[in-house]
Amino acid sequence: GCSTKNPAPSDGETVGAQNEESGGEKKDTLTVALTSEPPSLTTCDHDSIVGVYMNLLTYNGLMRVDHETLEVVPDLAESYTVENETEWTFVLKDGIKFHDGSDCTAQDVAASIEWAKTFPGSANYTRNIKTIEAVDDKTVKIVTEVPYAGLPADLAYHYNFIVPEELIESGHDFNSEPVGTGPYKFVSWQYGDSLNFVGFEEYFDAERKASIPNLVFKIIPEGTSRTIALEAGEVDFVYDVPSADVERLKSDEKFEVKEITSVENFFLGINLEKEPFNDVNVRQAINYGINREDVIAAALNGYGASNYTAIAMGYEGDTDAGAAVYDLDKAKEYLDKWGGDPSSIVLPIICSNETKVAVATVIQSNLSKLGIQVEVVSTDTATYFADWEAGNYTGLISSWSPSNSLTYVQRYHSDRALTYPGSLKDEEVDKMVRDAESTIDDTERIGKIKTIVETVNGLAPQISLYQPLMFRAYSADLGGVTASATGYVGFNDMYWK
Amino acid sequence: MAEKTIEIKDLVVEYRTRSGVVQALNGLSLSIEKGKTLGLVGETGAGKTTAGLAVLGLIPSPPGVIVSGEILLNGKDLRALTDKEMDQIRGDAVAMIFQDPMTSLNPVMTVGDQIAEAIKIHEGLNHGDALKKAEEMLEMVGIPRERAKEYPHQFSGGMKQRVVIAIALSCTPGLLIADEPTTALDVTIQAQVLEMMKGLKEKYEMSMLMITHDLGIVAEICDEVSVVYAGRVVEHGTLADVFDNTRHPYTEGLFNSLPNIENQAEKLKPIRGLMPDPTDLPLGCPFYPRCDHAMEICRTKKPPKVYRNETHFVECHLYNEQNIGDKEEKWR
Amino acid sequence: MSNSSSPLLEVKNLKKYFKTPKGMLHAVDDVSFTIDRGRTLGVVGESGCGKSTTGRAILRIVEPTEGEILFDGEDIRSLGKDQMRRMRTRMQIIFQDPFSSLNPRKTVSETIAEPLKLNGIITDKGKRMERVAEIMEIVGLAERLYNAYPHELDGGRRQRIGIARALALNPQFIVCDEPVSALDVSIQAQILNLMDELQEKMGLTYMFITHDLSVVHYFADDIAVMYLGRLIEKAPAKELFRNPVHPYTQALLSAIPVPSIHNQRKRILLKGEITSPVDPKPGCRFASRCPYASSRCHSEEPQLKEIAPGHFNACFLNE
Amino acid sequence: MGNTSSDLSKKYKKVSPVREVMSLLVRNKAAMAGLIFLILLVGVSLSADLLFDYESQVVEQNISERLQWPSAEHLFGTDEYGRDLLARVVHGSRLSLSVSFVSVLASLIIGGILGAVSGYYGGLLDEIIMRITDIFLAIPMTLLAMVIVAALGASTTNLIISLSLSAVPTFARIVRSSVLTVREVEYIEAAGAIGAKDGTIIFSHILPNCIGPIIVQTTLRVAAMISNTAGLSFLGLGVQAPAPEWGALLSAGRNYIRDYSYLTFIPGLAIMLTILALNLLGDGLRDALDPRLK
Amino acid sequence: MIKFIIRRLLSLIPVILGVTFFVFMVMQLAPGDAAKLLLGEGATQEQVEELREEMGLNDPVIVQYVRYMVNFCKGDLGTSYATKRPVADEVFSRFPYTFNLSIVAGIVSILLAIPLGILAAVKQNTFFDNISMVISLVGVSMPIFWLALLLVLAFSLNLGWFPVQGADGWKSYVLPAISLGFMNMASIARTTRSSMLETVRQDYIRTARAKGVPKRDAIVKHAFENALIPTITVCGIQLGQLLGGSVLTETVFAWPGIGRLMVQSISSRDVPMVLGCMVVMTVCFSVVNLLVDLLYAFVDPRIKAMYS
Ligand SMILES: Nc1ncnc2c1ncn2[C@@H]1O[C@H](COP(=O)(O)OP(=O)(O)OP(=O)(O)O)[C@@H](O)[C@H]1O
Ligand SMILES: Nc1ncnc2c1ncn2[C@@H]1O[C@H](COP(=O)(O)OP(=O)(O)OP(=O)(O)O)[C@@H](O)[C@H]1O
Ligand SMILES: [Mg+2]
Ligand SMILES: [Mg+2]
């Protein structure tokens, strides 16, 4: 087995054990198993994690999330200043080039964000931006509607990644040919099979320039098949390892397994409009009645951290003050407080994949001890989202990993009711969220967020369950693998040892 | 004594099926002199086809088993031959025509090829020559040679039967076994085919075993008749012997069952009852349950052969050497 | 009831065409005849000449294309479905194949009882059973076969069931579609005798279809010869055998093998076989095989004419 | 054929066709093995509730005992939720069998009626029905079932609906062609001649005589259904958790195929043996019902 | 013959109309609003409404269907809701993979099954017969995806002979083709065996033997071609199964074919894509059936006569 020098390694010879490098020549290709096909490569046209992986390769935003610290730091921007509460100025770094060779200027930035605003899907990340203009080639000025602390984080989101203005105007199809400033250049996409990228030589950030020139993504939907492909040497990196395979891979010295506690929070979403779940006592009973340890053991083979709070743990501002714990007596107390007959409570939970089904199954088993009846309903993703959006559900298992704590607590604001389960129609909380949003000062804001979390902990609008341990398994020869709790992977940081 | 083309001695054949052992032939004997035609007459299930298949060594096995007996073709014991040697004999020294022309031909092979196949096997001709000869054979049975390229479904029943005959005759066999060759055909066609067979038989000086249940056909083309009942020949003789000096009650019954064009007035006198169950034959005479003249001895003892003359014998307890000649000749 | 001296069945210009992929198949083409009460009409002809179709068309098992069928003076073709169903109690059919004409899933008694039940003739089950036993006795079926299935029986017995089924309704008229041709001679004779007896006893009228001339000779009063959908000759049985007029009838008669070694007949061998009944060419349909065919025969269709009392013929030769 | 004395003893006693077929079937060892297996299976599935309590043993999880290899205590081991696999397989048999039986039955009834009507009456009605079945037959069955389940949403009922719908055209075809064959047979004409109405002819004469190929096809279809259900479960379109349908068990176990192979092996084997038994039985019935072999 | 082919091809039209109509209607039952799916979350009600109007989703279903078919005739299968690419492009870029795999699986299974079936028939009730029929039964009985996984474990992981996934090079065809074709092989072998057993009982085989054709030749020359006829039917049916089975196989082997595309599209309610896949599969299946019918004519002169 050996590597190919060819930048497009889908030509038919890359079969077999590639990773058994016998000295000398260094591999120049990294093959990654992808769980599913990205729906789109256009930044503002999708909200899928796989799509984001692809976007992160070819694009940059003004800001980015630091994978290790989870802090929002400048990316294309050299720096930014907050002129007054609603006016922000960003200055671009020097020597930023697009893949097509043109320079990236402030005009491009402004045009990109204006463009993003035209996509309905990006609304949550663009609607606070009132105006954006290029002051000069290097400087961009953004004015927000209200004082808005979430702006840097929003700008780090893929919706707001930067593309060449020229191409926007010419109606370029970014889906079939992404052109950005990112560390990798898009080469080809064999639908259903693979995507190929090649390192971008003129990447503006010398430190984060791609070290492995060729990057191949193989679409392998079956978890078991992914692991086997890794073991057989057909792929070098698997970012979604089925928990059942973790032990074996760990004990195999040909592979490294990196374990990260994700900030992705899995929760039982409850439709607060429905009887009797509009009663906080019922929700709390459920909250206290679910044994997170069981859930983690069964659904995740024990690879996860339980969470009883109203926010993903690990963010600044998280707190378990006032949070539930597993306590059947307490749960029963809440049921008594509610006063109804527990056996009259029927909670159908919709699940869009196997893990969620597993989670719901444990919940079913747990809550049956309280006499609450749970129905596990597994649906496909589309139905799941459709039911969710239509409010046509009682319970659902969902997860969320926003890039920062503010974004997380924003979901408890009542005007997000349509989109998020768990939106409280609670004026008090609304006010608190709006207050935190407009607090630009970090420390002050985080304090406010903490208060929000404390408050919401007691209301149980959504029942947090766990944050999974994520496993990246990869060839032991691969170096530079960073572990980000957000789930993102920096392929450009990786190198062959 | 004239040379015998085929001689079957005491042939016993059984079909060992799930529902019992069918005793198809119970010591059947027959012989045909060179150039002569023997008619084998009997009801359904009497074992006529089985006898023909036995000669060719084609009794389906399982379930068929030749238990005992001899089959001599020109004096050679066929039962002693290997499969390969039998293949050499089939179609060459002995050929057989089957009852149903509709199913006797391979539907996906041209008739020319089907005739040529036998020629290729036995005369070692190449395909082209064999085909040419096949076309000649076709013409001989009255089908234009151009039609050799056609498939069986393009032929009518009568023509198919001619093709089957052409196949059988293609290597000028010494013995032709014709198993009810015209039963499936209309009378006018039957007449054509019989006429043709008669001519060809003479032309090739073949011996022929004509299996049929139609006494009319026997009268027309056979020299001798064997009447079979439950796997045994119960009466045998020349045409004159059997037709004019009928002795066996079964043969008598057969004649009386026939509506006769010549004298209509009489009512038919059918044989009572049915052939016995071949898995459970009566101890004595198999015809005994249906016989009007049945005696006690018929029930328990198999009747011996009684000869009326050199060529004519019956197996019936009614007769012995003394009384067998008594009956008057009668005209039919 | 109309006058008993009129014929029981009168068929006028009966036609039955079948639509086939190759064209219109003239199975029965303009056939007319009558059958008197208590008599038997034998219908003979080669395979495919339309004998069965004629029989079936008379019972309206197949719907005639054209023509008139008067049964006991009543025009059958104008009857509605229910009336026709009632009419069928008076006209019945017995089929050629004793294997395929019996429902293998019904026992002997069920088969015989069915017409009684369906037509509501005997509604009481016990009485019906008695009647079935009676009929079985009439046709010579042993009582012990009461609950036997057809496949357990031999051809002769099966044919008796077919006859019993037809008799159950006490019909006046029975179409017998080659009821004995599948049987061995000895059995055939048993059945023929039975049918003969029944006719005498019950005054039945038969239309007896067969291709075996010696059988009709024995059995029928009148004989109709069909060729390719046409009726070409019809005469009393004796007359027909003594004096066949149509060349085809002559050939047909001469072709019968006679089970006797003394009076063998002179054969008239016909060339070729019956041709396709699909869109037949004008002219006599027998012309292509007829030894006497003239050019007229190829262009003009001979009509059935009475050449002697009761003797009809369709051929130009004898005009 | 013979008139032995045993015939007399049968007087006024009908030999049921079922008995007759059985007596033929008994001689076929493989088919009998299949039949016995199926009878046992049906027995087990009927007594599933007596053997294992659904709530406490099939659904109830016992995380502390998860993923235990087969042992004396858990003959088939435990699954990832610590549930006894034996209990789940036993209860699963009921689900798997009933889903496939019910869907085959439904499609048999609908398809049977369509096919019978179409074959018997012919003409325009036949043409219409056949063109419609053409359309459905042009879609591979798995895909058809998939689309329907996806559209209606995954649930046991919808699964049955989609499986039945996808098999209707096949049955319509089979029944139609048997009807066409039987229709031409003279006893149908005879029935008409003695005054039977269409309904009587179809239900009392035609259908009982088509039953052979239909029964054979039914057994083989049930087998196909089980395998289809398993496939749909694999795609997440099958029976809902925690119902222990076999396909779902097999499909859920696939994540553990490397280390806990019994989790796939046991349900896989159950599916396989059942399909095998149905096939053996179907083949045996085909032979037993074949009139030529009688 | 040409006329027959043309007629058969024309008869595809109502089938395609029917299939699209049915799938179109069924997909209407599915929950999920196409416009919302296209826009993604965060879209306002007006935006959704606007898009619905633009896409004609507010028109009666029949109108939508007719519009779909009109575009269909122009070769426009619509735009995928999920990928926003033209469905035709996507489907046709995926189709060759499924087609190739099915062909390989089909051909291999036929080539293996027919001799197996014949041998089993010829050696009826021998060890060979029994063992090959057991294998066939296992083949018919084994859930496809289970077999696929076991194959991967055995041949890719443990032996390293064949790749685990993907579609590059002949090696990558081996395992998917086996797992896809095994079931077909089994059914075809069984049918071949029983139709062989049936044909050797026919009268014309007896005729052939009677003219001196040795047993082996009688089987090879006379029985085989006739026995082929039911086998061809089964092959035709099995090809449909292949297309259906490809959904599962493609998922296990990460095969970039149309089966997986369809699973994906179904779960993302991508109606145009589902329709597109269905149409392609249907046409493919129907064309295969047409070929099967032509093959009949090739093998059986009686049928040929019917067509000409
Ligand atoms: N393959 C077979 N298996 C079992 N029994 C058979 C088989 N072939 C023939 N028989 C039985 O052997 C007996 C003799 O059959 P055979 O075919 O020789 O009779 P036949 O005189 O030719 O009758 P037919 O006039 O009907 O052709 C019958 O009882 C028949 O049922
Ligand atoms: N239902 C039908 N559809 C099409 N053609 C038919 C049908 N029934 C009969 N025929 C055709 O009509 C012609 C006459 O058939 P019919 O059965 O009446 O002949 P037949 O004289 O009874 O022949 P056989 O002696 O063979 O029974 C034949 O060519 C036959 O093929
Ligand atoms: Mg015979
Ligand atoms: Mg007829």
Side-chain angles (χ1 to χ4, degrees), chain D residues 191-210:
Chain D
I194 57 170
K197 296 190 181 133
D198 289 351
T200 316
I201 294 182
I202 294 182
F203 288 104
S204 152
H205 291 275
I206 296 185
L207 284 181
N209 285 293
C210 303

Side-chain angles (χ1 to χ4, degrees), chain A residues 134-148:
Chain A
V135 179
D136 55 45
D137 272 3
K138 287 248 170 289
T139 319
V140 185
K141 197 170 95 186
I142 296 177
V143 179
T144 58
E145 300 277 356
V146 288
Y148 182 55

Side-chain angles (χ1 to χ4, degrees), chain C residues 35-73:
Chain C
I35 308 178
D36 288 336
R37 284 162 211 277
R39 311 262 298 173
T40 300
L41 173 72
V43 180
V44 292
E46 275 172 272
S47 183
C49 70
K51 307 181 294 291
S52 303
T53 306
T54 308
R56 284 161 210 223
I58 290 171
L59 294 193
R60 282 180 65 195
I61 291 174
V62 295
E63 205 52 53
T65 312
E66 238 176 72
E68 216 177 315
I69 301 161
L70 301 176
F71 184 78
D72 212 358

Side-chain angles (χ1 to χ4, degrees), chain D residues 134-140 142-144 146-148 150-152 165 220 227 230-231 234-235 237 247 250-251 254 257-258 264-265 268-269 271-272 275-276 279-280 283 290 292-293, chain E residues 14-15 18-19 22-23 26-27 29-31 137-138 140-143 145-146 149-150 153 157 190 198 201 240 243-245 247-248 251-252 262-263 266 269 274 278 281-282 285-286:
Chain D
D134 270 350
I135 289 167
F136 284 91
L137 284 173
I139 309 174
T142 322
L143 298 187
L144 187 59
M146 224 170 87
V147 170
I148 301 173
L152 301 181
L165 259 176
L220 299 181
S227 142
F234 175 77
L235 296 173
L237 296 170
L250 175 56
S251 158
R254 74 182 189 274
I257 194 167
R258 306 282 298 282
T264 42
F265 189 73
L269 205 64
I271 293 177
M272 216 174 98
I275 298 180
L276 197 73
N279 272 293
L280 289 175
D283 286 358
D290 188 341
R292 277 167 316 184
L293 302 179
Chain E
V15 169
V19 169
F22 175 76
V23 178
V26 166
M27 293 310 281
L29 297 177
L137 272 171
V138 170
V140 178
S141 319
M142 212 162 169
F145 62 93
W146 188 36
L149 282 172
L150 292 180
L153 286 180
L157 194 65
R190 275 152 57 85
E198 175 98 40
R201 283 209 297 255
L243 291 175
V247 174
L248 300 170
T251 305
V252 175
M262 187 150 140
V263 178
I266 282 182
R269 268 315 159 271
V274 174
M278 274 305 218
M281 293 264 205
T282 306
F285 189 29
S286 305

Side-chain angles (χ1 to χ4, degrees), chain A residues 268-314:
Chain A
L268 166 64
I270 290 184
N271 191 335
L272 302 179
E273 318 259 288
K274 292 213 171 161
E275 295 269 356
F277 304 102
N278 52 358
D279 189 311
V280 68
N281 291 317
V282 174
R283 297 200 300 268
Q284 281 292 52
I286 295 172
N287 203 0
Y288 278 92
I290 297 173
N291 185 347
R292 289 10 178 219
E293 296 305 321
D294 277 2
V295 172
I296 291 164
L300 307 177
N301 284 296
Y303 301 121
S306 41
N307 184 9
Y308 288 86
T309 72
I311 190 172
M313 301 297 280

Side-chain angles (χ1 to χ4, degrees), chain B residues 43-44 156 158-159 186-192 195 215-217 219-220 239-240 243-244 254 257-262 264 266-268 270-274 290 331-332, chain C residues 46-47 154 157 184-190 192-193 196 211 214-215 217-218 238 241 248 252 255-265 267 269-273 289:
Chain B
E43 276 176 275
T44 288
S156 68
M159 288 165 89
D186 273 315
V187 258
T188 57
I189 316 299
Q190 169 175 316
Q192 293 167 6
E195 203 66 25
L215 286 166
I217 292 177
E220 216 158 281
L239 278 195
F243 277 68
D244 294 341
L254 283 186
S257 301
L258 288 177
N260 193 333
I261 296 190
E262 301 308 318
Q264 195 204 354
E266 301 171 42
K267 212 166 159 77
L268 298 177
I271 310 170
R272 289 182 287 132
L274 301 161
R290 303 172 73 184
W331 278 61
R332 283 191 183 279
Chain C
E46 275 172 272
S47 183
D154 58 276
R157 291 218 179 85
D184 257 324
V185 273
S186 65
I187 312 298
Q188 174 175 328
Q190 293 172 4
L192 287 176
N193 280 351
D196 212 17
H211 59 251
S214 43
V215 170
H217 180 235
Y218 165 77
K238 283 204 184 93
F241 275 82
Y248 175 67
L252 203 58
I256 308 169
V258 182
S260 156
I261 51 178
H262 300 288
N263 28 24
Q264 286 289 338
R265 295 153 168 254
R267 277 271 160 78
L269 279 183
L270 289 176
K271 292 181 303 240
E273 290 172 42
R289 294 173 81 190

Side-chain angles (χ1 to χ4, degrees), chain B residues 235 241-248 251-252 255 327 332:
Chain B
E235 179 160 13
D241 290 335
V242 175
F243 277 68
D244 294 341
N245 297 292
T246 316
R247 286 295 181 272
H248 200 284
T251 320
E252 187 81 27
F255 280 112
K327 241 182 172 176
R332 283 191 183 279

Side-chain angles (χ1 to χ4, degrees), chain B residues 82-135:
Chain B
T82 62
D83 277 357
K84 254 214 175 99
E85 289 165 326
M86 270 318 284
D87 282 338
Q88 292 301 310
I89 285 178
R90 283 185 210 120
D92 195 16
V94 190
M96 186 156 174
I97 302 170
F98 295 98
Q99 174 170 1
D100 190 353
M102 303 303 162
T103 57
S104 290
L105 292 172
N106 185 342
V108 304
M109 209 169 167
T110 63
V111 296
D113 283 345
Q114 294 191 51
I115 303 172
E117 197 177 17
I119 300 170
K120 271 195 287 188
I121 293 171
H122 297 296
E123 303 189 354
L125 298 183
N126 66 27
H127 188 76
D129 292 341
L131 210 56
K132 218 171 274 157
K133 178 139 189 247
E135 288 172 2

